[in-house]
């Protein structure tokens, strides 16, 4: 990746992170999808996992608990074996957050604002 491409990637990632962390799930999905189109291998799998988490949160916001739980589990599964991939995101803390949320969804524990996933930049 040349320097201009790296800078464009960083800008796109920054935008996507902000949308995700501000709970704009649909918009975050679109922003991460643009990134997904330009990466491959493990990086592509991680971005796909984040996409699935975004969609799970969109489903959750619409009351679709089953869809949210399934997509959250699939997204977590893609990311948790790739936490050492350097995309400028703390993937280990993200996975811990997702594991806690998945448990709460599976056991139908009441959620609050602190349960919404957060992508912490490195």
């Amino acid at each position: 990746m040349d320097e201009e491409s790296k800078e464009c990637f960083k800008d796109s990632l920054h935008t996507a992170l902000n949308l995700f962390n501000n709970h704009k799930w649909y918009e975050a999905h679109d922003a991460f999808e643009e990134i997904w189109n330009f990466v491959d291998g493990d990086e592509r799998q991680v971005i796909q996992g984040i996409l699935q988490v975004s969609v799970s949160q969109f489903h959750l916001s619409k009351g679709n608990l089953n869809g949210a739980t399934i997509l959250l589990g699939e997204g977590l599964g893609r990311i948790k074996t790739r936490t050492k991939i350097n995309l400028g995101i703390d993937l280990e803390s993200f996975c811990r957050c997702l594991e806690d949320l998945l448990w709460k969804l599976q056991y139908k524990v009441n959620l609050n604002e602190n349960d919404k996933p957060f992508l912490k930049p490195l």
Side-chain angles (χ1 to χ4, degrees), residues 13 17-18 20-21 32 50 85-97 116-122:
L13 184 62
L17 287 172
N18 281 336
F20 187 96
N21 289 337
F32 276 110
I50 295 171
I85 300 301
N86 184 4
L87 289 171
I89 303 168
D90 183 349
L91 294 173
E92 289 183 12
S93 70
F94 186 56
C95 284
R96 285 191 299 273
C97 169
K116 291 186 178 171
F118 183 81
L119 289 165
K120 181 178 157 191
L122 290 173

Side-chain angles (χ1 to χ4, degrees), residues 5-105:
S5 295
K6 285 181 186 176
E7 201 57 38
C8 183
F9 177 83
K10 285 171 52 178
D11 289 345
S12 295
L13 184 62
H14 179 76
T15 298
L17 287 172
N18 281 336
L19 289 167
F20 187 96
N21 289 337
N22 285 299
H23 311 143
K24 296 183 188 249
W25 308 120
Y26 192 84
E27 295 87 345
H29 168 273
D30 289 347
F32 276 110
E33 190 168 51
E34 286 183 31
I35 295 168
W36 181 80
N37 286 317
F38 292 99
V39 293
D40 56 14
D42 284 336
E43 288 86 359
R44 188 175 176 97
Q45 292 297 312
V46 169
I47 297 298
Q48 185 171 349
I50 295 171
L51 282 164
Q52 289 175 305
V53 172
S54 294
V55 175
S56 81
Q57 295 309 287
F58 181 76
H59 281 303
L60 192 58
S61 74
K62 300 296 182 191
N64 180 357
L65 180 65
N66 190 46
T69 304
I70 291 168
L71 280 167
L72 184 66
E74 289 177 1
L76 174 60
R78 286 188 191 281
I79 301 166
K80 73 178 179 181
T81 59
R82 298 174 174 91
T83 59
K84 301 299 182 202
I85 300 301
N86 184 4
L87 289 171
I89 303 168
D90 183 349
L91 294 173
E92 289 183 12
S93 70
F94 186 56
C95 284
R96 285 191 299 273
C97 169
L98 297 180
E99 287 168 345
D100 290 345
L101 178 57
L102 183 59
W103 183 88
K104 288 180 178 182
L105 291 177

